[in-house]
PDB file of all heavy atoms in Angstrom:
ATOM      1  N   MET A   1     -17.744  14.992   3.357  1.00  0.00           N
ATOM      2  CA  MET A   1     -17.755  13.881   2.479  1.00  0.00           C
ATOM      3  C   MET A   1     -16.689  13.927   1.432  1.00  0.00           C
ATOM      4  O   MET A   1     -16.114  12.913   0.980  1.00  0.00           O
ATOM      5  CB  MET A   1     -19.133  13.755   1.808  1.00  0.00           C
ATOM      6  CG  MET A   1     -20.248  13.367   2.722  1.00  0.00           C
ATOM      7  SD  MET A   1     -21.802  12.912   1.803  1.00  0.00           S
ATOM      8  CE  MET A   1     -21.292  11.453   0.976  1.00  0.00           C
ATOM      9  N   VAL A   2     -16.416  15.157   0.873  1.00  0.00           N
ATOM     10  CA  VAL A   2     -15.351  15.324  -0.048  1.00  0.00           C
ATOM     11  C   VAL A   2     -13.972  14.955   0.564  1.00  0.00           C
ATOM     12  O   VAL A   2     -13.095  14.252  -0.065  1.00  0.00           O
ATOM     13  CB  VAL A   2     -15.324  16.720  -0.599  1.00  0.00           C
ATOM     14  CG1 VAL A   2     -14.056  17.033  -1.431  1.00  0.00           C
ATOM     15  CG2 VAL A   2     -16.599  17.044  -1.420  1.00  0.00           C
ATOM     16  N   GLY A   3     -13.808  15.427   1.858  1.00  0.00           N
ATOM     17  CA  GLY A   3     -12.532  15.011   2.531  1.00  0.00           C
ATOM     18  C   GLY A   3     -12.452  13.529   2.806  1.00  0.00           C
ATOM     19  O   GLY A   3     -11.310  12.900   2.614  1.00  0.00           O
ATOM     20  N   SER A   4     -13.569  12.907   3.116  1.00  0.00           N
ATOM     21  CA  SER A   4     -13.560  11.424   3.282  1.00  0.00           C
ATOM     22  C   SER A   4     -13.275  10.740   2.000  1.00  0.00           C
ATOM     23  O   SER A   4     -12.605   9.701   1.931  1.00  0.00           O
ATOM     24  CB  SER A   4     -14.898  10.974   3.903  1.00  0.00           C
ATOM     25  OG  SER A   4     -14.894   9.576   4.119  1.00  0.00           O
ATOM     26  N   LEU A   5     -13.821  11.254   0.901  1.00  0.00           N
ATOM     27  CA  LEU A   5     -13.654  10.711  -0.433  1.00  0.00           C
ATOM     28  C   LEU A   5     -12.178  10.749  -0.786  1.00  0.00           C
ATOM     29  O   LEU A   5     -11.594   9.744  -1.330  1.00  0.00           O
ATOM     30  CB  LEU A   5     -14.437  11.448  -1.502  1.00  0.00           C
ATOM     31  CG  LEU A   5     -14.225  11.163  -2.945  1.00  0.00           C
ATOM     32  CD1 LEU A   5     -14.566   9.692  -3.270  1.00  0.00           C
ATOM     33  CD2 LEU A   5     -14.967  12.055  -3.861  1.00  0.00           C
ATOM     34  N   SER A   6     -11.482  11.947  -0.565  1.00  0.00           N
ATOM     35  CA  SER A   6     -10.091  12.058  -0.966  1.00  0.00           C
ATOM     36  C   SER A   6      -9.240  11.095  -0.137  1.00  0.00           C
ATOM     37  O   SER A   6      -8.295  10.468  -0.640  1.00  0.00           O
ATOM     38  CB  SER A   6      -9.698  13.496  -0.713  1.00  0.00           C
ATOM     39  OG  SER A   6      -9.728  13.854   0.689  1.00  0.00           O
ATOM     40  N   THR A   7      -9.537  10.934   1.140  1.00  0.00           N
ATOM     41  CA  THR A   7      -8.713  10.002   1.948  1.00  0.00           C
ATOM     42  C   THR A   7      -8.890   8.591   1.533  1.00  0.00           C
ATOM     43  O   THR A   7      -7.931   7.804   1.510  1.00  0.00           O
ATOM     44  CB  THR A   7      -9.127  10.180   3.477  1.00  0.00           C
ATOM     45  OG1 THR A   7      -9.001  11.581   3.850  1.00  0.00           O
ATOM     46  CG2 THR A   7      -8.209   9.438   4.392  1.00  0.00           C
ATOM     47  N   ALA A   8     -10.110   8.186   1.264  1.00  0.00           N
ATOM     48  CA  ALA A   8     -10.406   6.816   0.904  1.00  0.00           C
ATOM     49  C   ALA A   8      -9.767   6.444  -0.488  1.00  0.00           C
ATOM     50  O   ALA A   8      -9.197   5.411  -0.626  1.00  0.00           O
ATOM     51  CB  ALA A   8     -11.931   6.557   0.834  1.00  0.00           C
ATOM     52  N   CYS A   9      -9.817   7.415  -1.375  1.00  0.00           N
ATOM     53  CA  CYS A   9      -9.230   7.233  -2.697  1.00  0.00           C
ATOM     54  C   CYS A   9      -7.757   7.103  -2.634  1.00  0.00           C
ATOM     55  O   CYS A   9      -7.066   6.304  -3.224  1.00  0.00           O
ATOM     56  CB  CYS A   9      -9.677   8.267  -3.605  1.00  0.00           C
ATOM     57  SG  CYS A   9      -9.058   8.049  -5.386  1.00  0.00           S
ATOM     58  N   ALA A  10      -7.150   8.019  -1.787  1.00  0.00           N
ATOM     59  CA  ALA A  10      -5.652   8.035  -1.610  1.00  0.00           C
ATOM     60  C   ALA A  10      -5.247   6.642  -0.947  1.00  0.00           C
ATOM     61  O   ALA A  10      -4.185   6.112  -1.265  1.00  0.00           O
ATOM     62  CB  ALA A  10      -5.209   9.164  -0.761  1.00  0.00           C
ATOM     63  N   ASP A  11      -6.083   6.142  -0.104  1.00  0.00           N
ATOM     64  CA  ASP A  11      -5.751   4.901   0.577  1.00  0.00           C
ATOM     65  C   ASP A  11      -5.752   3.762  -0.457  1.00  0.00           C
ATOM     66  O   ASP A  11      -4.847   2.875  -0.424  1.00  0.00           O
ATOM     67  CB  ASP A  11      -6.841   4.597   1.646  1.00  0.00           C
ATOM     68  CG  ASP A  11      -6.592   3.239   2.332  1.00  0.00           C
ATOM     69  OD1 ASP A  11      -5.639   3.176   3.159  1.00  0.00           O
ATOM     70  OD2 ASP A  11      -7.306   2.310   2.077  1.00  0.00           O
ATOM     71  N   VAL A  12      -6.694   3.732  -1.392  1.00  0.00           N
ATOM     72  CA  VAL A  12      -6.691   2.705  -2.392  1.00  0.00           C
ATOM     73  C   VAL A  12      -5.527   2.787  -3.322  1.00  0.00           C
ATOM     74  O   VAL A  12      -4.901   1.787  -3.651  1.00  0.00           O
ATOM     75  CB  VAL A  12      -8.045   2.779  -3.216  1.00  0.00           C
ATOM     76  CG1 VAL A  12      -8.045   1.851  -4.414  1.00  0.00           C
ATOM     77  CG2 VAL A  12      -9.224   2.463  -2.312  1.00  0.00           C
ATOM     78  N   VAL A  13      -5.218   4.047  -3.703  1.00  0.00           N
ATOM     79  CA  VAL A  13      -4.022   4.186  -4.602  1.00  0.00           C
ATOM     80  C   VAL A  13      -2.765   3.804  -3.929  1.00  0.00           C
ATOM     81  O   VAL A  13      -1.867   3.130  -4.524  1.00  0.00           O
ATOM     82  CB  VAL A  13      -3.964   5.690  -5.061  1.00  0.00           C
ATOM     83  CG1 VAL A  13      -2.675   5.900  -5.915  1.00  0.00           C
ATOM     84  CG2 VAL A  13      -5.188   6.017  -5.918  1.00  0.00           C
ATOM     85  N   ALA A  14      -2.622   4.134  -2.664  1.00  0.00           N
ATOM     86  CA  ALA A  14      -1.439   3.761  -1.916  1.00  0.00           C
ATOM     87  C   ALA A  14      -1.351   2.218  -1.778  1.00  0.00           C
ATOM     88  O   ALA A  14      -0.239   1.654  -1.937  1.00  0.00           O
ATOM     89  CB  ALA A  14      -1.432   4.336  -0.534  1.00  0.00           C
ATOM     90  N   ASP A  15      -2.450   1.551  -1.541  1.00  0.00           N
ATOM     91  CA  ASP A  15      -2.466   0.095  -1.488  1.00  0.00           C
ATOM     92  C   ASP A  15      -2.062  -0.526  -2.850  1.00  0.00           C
ATOM     93  O   ASP A  15      -1.432  -1.479  -2.940  1.00  0.00           O
ATOM     94  CB  ASP A  15      -3.844  -0.453  -1.078  1.00  0.00           C
ATOM     95  CG  ASP A  15      -4.120  -0.147   0.319  1.00  0.00           C
ATOM     96  OD1 ASP A  15      -3.235   0.068   1.125  1.00  0.00           O
ATOM     97  OD2 ASP A  15      -5.426  -0.174   0.699  1.00  0.00           O
ATOM     98  N   SER A  16      -2.482   0.136  -3.898  1.00  0.00           N
ATOM     99  CA  SER A  16      -2.122  -0.357  -5.311  1.00  0.00           C
ATOM    100  C   SER A  16      -0.603  -0.262  -5.492  1.00  0.00           C
ATOM    101  O   SER A  16      -0.008  -1.114  -6.073  1.00  0.00           O
ATOM    102  CB  SER A  16      -2.850   0.433  -6.367  1.00  0.00           C
ATOM    103  OG  SER A  16      -4.253   0.342  -6.172  1.00  0.00           O
ATOM    104  N   ILE A  17      -0.011   0.826  -4.974  1.00  0.00           N
ATOM    105  CA  ILE A  17       1.438   1.049  -5.128  1.00  0.00           C
ATOM    106  C   ILE A  17       2.143  -0.032  -4.318  1.00  0.00           C
ATOM    107  O   ILE A  17       3.161  -0.565  -4.799  1.00  0.00           O
ATOM    108  CB  ILE A  17       1.830   2.446  -4.724  1.00  0.00           C
ATOM    109  CG1 ILE A  17       1.210   3.478  -5.588  1.00  0.00           C
ATOM    110  CG2 ILE A  17       3.330   2.579  -4.666  1.00  0.00           C
ATOM    111  CD1 ILE A  17       1.486   4.887  -5.215  1.00  0.00           C
ATOM    112  N   VAL A  18       1.666  -0.321  -3.140  1.00  0.00           N
ATOM    113  CA  VAL A  18       2.279  -1.388  -2.337  1.00  0.00           C
ATOM    114  C   VAL A  18       2.185  -2.734  -3.019  1.00  0.00           C
ATOM    115  O   VAL A  18       3.165  -3.488  -3.046  1.00  0.00           O
ATOM    116  CB  VAL A  18       1.541  -1.419  -0.957  1.00  0.00           C
ATOM    117  CG1 VAL A  18       2.009  -2.652  -0.149  1.00  0.00           C
ATOM    118  CG2 VAL A  18       1.827  -0.220  -0.115  1.00  0.00           C
ATOM    119  N   VAL A  19       1.052  -3.021  -3.616  1.00  0.00           N
ATOM    120  CA  VAL A  19       0.910  -4.328  -4.417  1.00  0.00           C
ATOM    121  C   VAL A  19       1.929  -4.313  -5.545  1.00  0.00           C
ATOM    122  O   VAL A  19       2.634  -5.364  -5.847  1.00  0.00           O
ATOM    123  CB  VAL A  19      -0.522  -4.462  -4.921  1.00  0.00           C
ATOM    124  CG1 VAL A  19      -0.633  -5.677  -5.869  1.00  0.00           C
ATOM    125  CG2 VAL A  19      -1.458  -4.684  -3.702  1.00  0.00           C
ATOM    126  N   GLU A  20       2.069  -3.258  -6.274  1.00  0.00           N
ATOM    127  CA  GLU A  20       2.980  -3.221  -7.440  1.00  0.00           C
ATOM    128  C   GLU A  20       4.482  -3.403  -6.948  1.00  0.00           C
ATOM    129  O   GLU A  20       5.203  -4.095  -7.592  1.00  0.00           O
ATOM    130  CB  GLU A  20       2.796  -1.917  -8.209  1.00  0.00           C
ATOM    131  CG  GLU A  20       1.439  -1.804  -8.954  1.00  0.00           C
ATOM    132  CD  GLU A  20       1.280  -0.473  -9.611  1.00  0.00           C
ATOM    133  OE1 GLU A  20       2.173   0.422  -9.466  1.00  0.00           O
ATOM    134  OE2 GLU A  20       0.324  -0.309 -10.358  1.00  0.00           O
ATOM    135  N   LEU A  21       4.835  -2.767  -5.847  1.00  0.00           N
ATOM    136  CA  LEU A  21       6.121  -2.914  -5.349  1.00  0.00           C
ATOM    137  C   LEU A  21       6.428  -4.240  -4.810  1.00  0.00           C
ATOM    138  O   LEU A  21       7.559  -4.736  -4.881  1.00  0.00           O
ATOM    139  CB  LEU A  21       6.379  -1.856  -4.246  1.00  0.00           C
ATOM    140  CG  LEU A  21       6.420  -0.407  -4.755  1.00  0.00           C
ATOM    141  CD1 LEU A  21       6.665   0.543  -3.536  1.00  0.00           C
ATOM    142  CD2 LEU A  21       7.505  -0.117  -5.764  1.00  0.00           C
ATOM    143  N   SER A  22       5.367  -4.914  -4.290  1.00  0.00           N
ATOM    144  CA  SER A  22       5.588  -6.244  -3.650  1.00  0.00           C
ATOM    145  C   SER A  22       5.547  -7.380  -4.760  1.00  0.00           C
ATOM    146  O   SER A  22       5.994  -8.502  -4.409  1.00  0.00           O
ATOM    147  CB  SER A  22       4.481  -6.537  -2.699  1.00  0.00           C
ATOM    148  OG  SER A  22       4.456  -5.533  -1.670  1.00  0.00           O
ATOM    149  N   ARG A  23       5.145  -7.055  -5.920  1.00  0.00           N
ATOM    150  CA  ARG A  23       4.977  -8.134  -6.983  1.00  0.00           C
ATOM    151  C   ARG A  23       6.409  -8.644  -7.342  1.00  0.00           C
ATOM    152  O   ARG A  23       7.224  -7.842  -7.737  1.00  0.00           O
ATOM    153  CB  ARG A  23       4.230  -7.589  -8.173  1.00  0.00           C
ATOM    154  CG  ARG A  23       3.908  -8.535  -9.232  1.00  0.00           C
ATOM    155  CD  ARG A  23       3.084  -7.945 -10.318  1.00  0.00           C
ATOM    156  NE  ARG A  23       1.818  -7.371  -9.705  1.00  0.00           N
ATOM    157  CZ  ARG A  23       1.101  -6.442 -10.325  1.00  0.00           C
ATOM    158  NH1 ARG A  23       1.443  -6.000 -11.527  1.00  0.00           N
ATOM    159  NH2 ARG A  23      -0.028  -5.968  -9.757  1.00  0.00           N
ATOM    160  N   GLY A  24       6.566  -9.965  -7.308  1.00  0.00           N
ATOM    161  CA  GLY A  24       7.814 -10.535  -7.700  1.00  0.00           C
ATOM    162  C   GLY A  24       8.955 -10.414  -6.682  1.00  0.00           C
ATOM    163  O   GLY A  24      10.059 -10.772  -6.996  1.00  0.00           O
ATOM    164  N   ARG A  25       8.657  -9.855  -5.510  1.00  0.00           N
ATOM    165  CA  ARG A  25       9.662  -9.712  -4.491  1.00  0.00           C
ATOM    166  C   ARG A  25       9.532 -10.784  -3.485  1.00  0.00           C
ATOM    167  O   ARG A  25       8.487 -11.428  -3.328  1.00  0.00           O
ATOM    168  CB  ARG A  25       9.525  -8.301  -3.839  1.00  0.00           C
ATOM    169  CG  ARG A  25       9.694  -7.126  -4.701  1.00  0.00           C
ATOM    170  CD  ARG A  25      11.174  -6.982  -5.169  1.00  0.00           C
ATOM    171  NE  ARG A  25      11.343  -5.831  -6.012  1.00  0.00           N
ATOM    172  CZ  ARG A  25      11.637  -4.637  -5.563  1.00  0.00           C
ATOM    173  NH1 ARG A  25      11.707  -4.322  -4.253  1.00  0.00           N
ATOM    174  NH2 ARG A  25      11.782  -3.608  -6.433  1.00  0.00           N
ATOM    175  N   PRO A  26      10.626 -11.034  -2.735  1.00  0.00           N
ATOM    176  CA  PRO A  26      10.472 -11.995  -1.646  1.00  0.00           C
ATOM    177  C   PRO A  26       9.455 -11.609  -0.529  1.00  0.00           C
ATOM    178  O   PRO A  26       9.100 -10.452  -0.429  1.00  0.00           O
ATOM    179  CB  PRO A  26      11.946 -12.034  -1.009  1.00  0.00           C
ATOM    180  CG  PRO A  26      12.772 -11.590  -2.100  1.00  0.00           C
ATOM    181  CD  PRO A  26      11.934 -10.567  -2.847  1.00  0.00           C
ATOM    182  N   GLN A  27       8.965 -12.613   0.152  1.00  0.00           N
ATOM    183  CA  GLN A  27       7.931 -12.339   1.186  1.00  0.00           C
ATOM    184  C   GLN A  27       8.448 -11.432   2.216  1.00  0.00           C
ATOM    185  O   GLN A  27       7.633 -10.563   2.805  1.00  0.00           O
ATOM    186  CB  GLN A  27       7.431 -13.674   1.813  1.00  0.00           C
ATOM    187  CG  GLN A  27       6.252 -13.565   2.701  1.00  0.00           C
ATOM    188  CD  GLN A  27       5.755 -14.826   3.204  1.00  0.00           C
ATOM    189  OE1 GLN A  27       6.369 -15.882   2.839  1.00  0.00           O
ATOM    190  NE2 GLN A  27       4.690 -14.774   4.063  1.00  0.00           N
ATOM    191  N   SER A  28       9.714 -11.438   2.563  1.00  0.00           N
ATOM    192  CA  SER A  28      10.280 -10.536   3.614  1.00  0.00           C
ATOM    193  C   SER A  28      10.174  -9.054   3.179  1.00  0.00           C
ATOM    194  O   SER A  28       9.858  -8.216   4.006  1.00  0.00           O
ATOM    195  CB  SER A  28      11.677 -10.926   3.863  1.00  0.00           C
ATOM    196  OG  SER A  28      12.489 -10.832   2.700  1.00  0.00           O
ATOM    197  N   GLU A  29      10.413  -8.812   1.872  1.00  0.00           N
ATOM    198  CA  GLU A  29      10.304  -7.431   1.442  1.00  0.00           C
ATOM    199  C   GLU A  29       8.840  -6.951   1.425  1.00  0.00           C
ATOM    200  O   GLU A  29       8.555  -5.747   1.750  1.00  0.00           O
ATOM    201  CB  GLU A  29      10.887  -7.322  -0.011  1.00  0.00           C
ATOM    202  CG  GLU A  29      12.378  -7.556   0.000  1.00  0.00           C
ATOM    203  CD  GLU A  29      12.982  -7.374  -1.355  1.00  0.00           C
ATOM    204  OE1 GLU A  29      12.357  -6.663  -2.215  1.00  0.00           O
ATOM    205  OE2 GLU A  29      14.077  -7.930  -1.638  1.00  0.00           O
ATOM    206  N   ALA A  30       7.874  -7.794   0.970  1.00  0.00           N
ATOM    207  CA  ALA A  30       6.490  -7.435   1.066  1.00  0.00           C
ATOM    208  C   ALA A  30       6.061  -7.096   2.481  1.00  0.00           C
ATOM    209  O   ALA A  30       5.274  -6.181   2.711  1.00  0.00           O
ATOM    210  CB  ALA A  30       5.640  -8.527   0.466  1.00  0.00           C
ATOM    211  N   GLY A  31       6.556  -7.985   3.434  1.00  0.00           N
ATOM    212  CA  GLY A  31       6.243  -7.672   4.829  1.00  0.00           C
ATOM    213  C   GLY A  31       6.805  -6.398   5.371  1.00  0.00           C
ATOM    214  O   GLY A  31       6.162  -5.696   6.189  1.00  0.00           O
ATOM    215  N   SER A  32       7.907  -5.939   4.792  1.00  0.00           N
ATOM    216  CA  SER A  32       8.593  -4.678   5.184  1.00  0.00           C
ATOM    217  C   SER A  32       7.730  -3.517   4.704  1.00  0.00           C
ATOM    218  O   SER A  32       7.581  -2.509   5.411  1.00  0.00           O
ATOM    219  CB  SER A  32       9.957  -4.599   4.599  1.00  0.00           C
ATOM    220  OG  SER A  32      10.819  -5.622   5.126  1.00  0.00           O
ATOM    221  N   LEU A  33       7.155  -3.672   3.511  1.00  0.00           N
ATOM    222  CA  LEU A  33       6.258  -2.619   3.064  1.00  0.00           C
ATOM    223  C   LEU A  33       5.017  -2.456   3.875  1.00  0.00           C
ATOM    224  O   LEU A  33       4.572  -1.408   4.193  1.00  0.00           O
ATOM    225  CB  LEU A  33       5.858  -2.831   1.572  1.00  0.00           C
ATOM    226  CG  LEU A  33       7.031  -2.720   0.546  1.00  0.00           C
ATOM    227  CD1 LEU A  33       6.553  -3.178  -0.863  1.00  0.00           C
ATOM    228  CD2 LEU A  33       7.468  -1.269   0.489  1.00  0.00           C
ATOM    229  N   GLN A  34       4.449  -3.581   4.285  1.00  0.00           N
ATOM    230  CA  GLN A  34       3.289  -3.533   5.198  1.00  0.00           C
ATOM    231  C   GLN A  34       3.658  -2.958   6.520  1.00  0.00           C
ATOM    232  O   GLN A  34       2.838  -2.198   7.086  1.00  0.00           O
ATOM    233  CB  GLN A  34       2.726  -4.950   5.355  1.00  0.00           C
ATOM    234  CG  GLN A  34       2.040  -5.485   4.087  1.00  0.00           C
ATOM    235  CD  GLN A  34       0.806  -4.672   3.705  1.00  0.00           C
ATOM    236  OE1 GLN A  34       0.019  -4.249   4.574  1.00  0.00           O
ATOM    237  NE2 GLN A  34       0.547  -4.625   2.454  1.00  0.00           N
ATOM    238  N   SER A  35       4.791  -3.272   7.007  1.00  0.00           N
ATOM    239  CA  SER A  35       5.343  -2.648   8.258  1.00  0.00           C
ATOM    240  C   SER A  35       5.462  -1.165   8.142  1.00  0.00           C
ATOM    241  O   SER A  35       5.136  -0.424   9.074  1.00  0.00           O
ATOM    242  CB  SER A  35       6.617  -3.335   8.657  1.00  0.00           C
ATOM    243  OG  SER A  35       6.444  -4.692   8.860  1.00  0.00           O
ATOM    244  N   LEU A  36       5.895  -0.697   7.014  1.00  0.00           N
ATOM    245  CA  LEU A  36       6.077   0.750   6.772  1.00  0.00           C
ATOM    246  C   LEU A  36       4.700   1.375   6.821  1.00  0.00           C
ATOM    247  O   LEU A  36       4.575   2.482   7.424  1.00  0.00           O
ATOM    248  CB  LEU A  36       6.730   1.023   5.423  1.00  0.00           C
ATOM    249  CG  LEU A  36       6.861   2.448   5.008  1.00  0.00           C
ATOM    250  CD1 LEU A  36       7.732   3.201   5.930  1.00  0.00           C
ATOM    251  CD2 LEU A  36       7.355   2.566   3.577  1.00  0.00           C
ATOM    252  N   CYS A  37       3.681   0.807   6.247  1.00  0.00           N
ATOM    253  CA  CYS A  37       2.360   1.346   6.215  1.00  0.00           C
ATOM    254  C   CYS A  37       1.797   1.454   7.604  1.00  0.00           C
ATOM    255  O   CYS A  37       1.272   2.551   8.059  1.00  0.00           O
ATOM    256  CB  CYS A  37       1.403   0.522   5.322  1.00  0.00           C
ATOM    257  SG  CYS A  37       1.868   0.444   3.604  1.00  0.00           S
ATOM    258  N   TRP A  38       1.821   0.378   8.391  1.00  0.00           N
ATOM    259  CA  TRP A  38       1.262   0.359   9.700  1.00  0.00           C
ATOM    260  C   TRP A  38       2.060   1.243  10.692  1.00  0.00           C
ATOM    261  O   TRP A  38       1.533   1.856  11.580  1.00  0.00           O
ATOM    262  CB  TRP A  38       1.222  -1.030  10.225  1.00  0.00           C
ATOM    263  CG  TRP A  38       0.120  -1.844   9.627  1.00  0.00           C
ATOM    264  CD1 TRP A  38       0.176  -2.821   8.661  1.00  0.00           C
ATOM    265  CD2 TRP A  38      -1.340  -1.644   9.821  1.00  0.00           C
ATOM    266  NE1 TRP A  38      -1.059  -3.350   8.373  1.00  0.00           N
ATOM    267  CE2 TRP A  38      -2.003  -2.611   9.053  1.00  0.00           C
ATOM    268  CE3 TRP A  38      -2.111  -0.864  10.653  1.00  0.00           C
ATOM    269  CZ2 TRP A  38      -3.363  -2.765   9.026  1.00  0.00           C
ATOM    270  CZ3 TRP A  38      -3.459  -1.013  10.561  1.00  0.00           C
ATOM    271  CH2 TRP A  38      -4.041  -1.913   9.809  1.00  0.00           C
ATOM    272  N   ALA A  39       3.356   1.331  10.481  1.00  0.00           N
ATOM    273  CA  ALA A  39       4.127   2.195  11.279  1.00  0.00           C
ATOM    274  C   ALA A  39       3.764   3.681  11.017  1.00  0.00           C
ATOM    275  O   ALA A  39       3.763   4.535  12.025  1.00  0.00           O
ATOM    276  CB  ALA A  39       5.666   2.017  10.992  1.00  0.00           C
TER     277      ALA A  39
END
């Protein structure tokens, strides 16, 4: 459960970083960040 907690929390923080980097950028750049995550 501790390991699952750490992974879930890191996932949320990483998503927050993606949102911050995508803010104010063109849609193509935001899509590139999502592609990086899924890749």
Side-chain angles (χ1 to χ4, degrees):
M1 288 191 68
V2 172
S4 182
L5 170 67
S6 65
T7 306
C9 183
D11 179 75
V12 172
V13 175
D15 289 341
S16 301
I17 296 175
V18 171
V19 172
E20 290 178 357
L21 293 178
S22 302
R23 188 175 301 161
R25 299 289 181 89
Q27 187 175 0
S28 59
E29 294 182 21
S32 299
L33 290 174
Q34 289 295 326
S35 299
L36 175 65
C37 299
W38 285 106

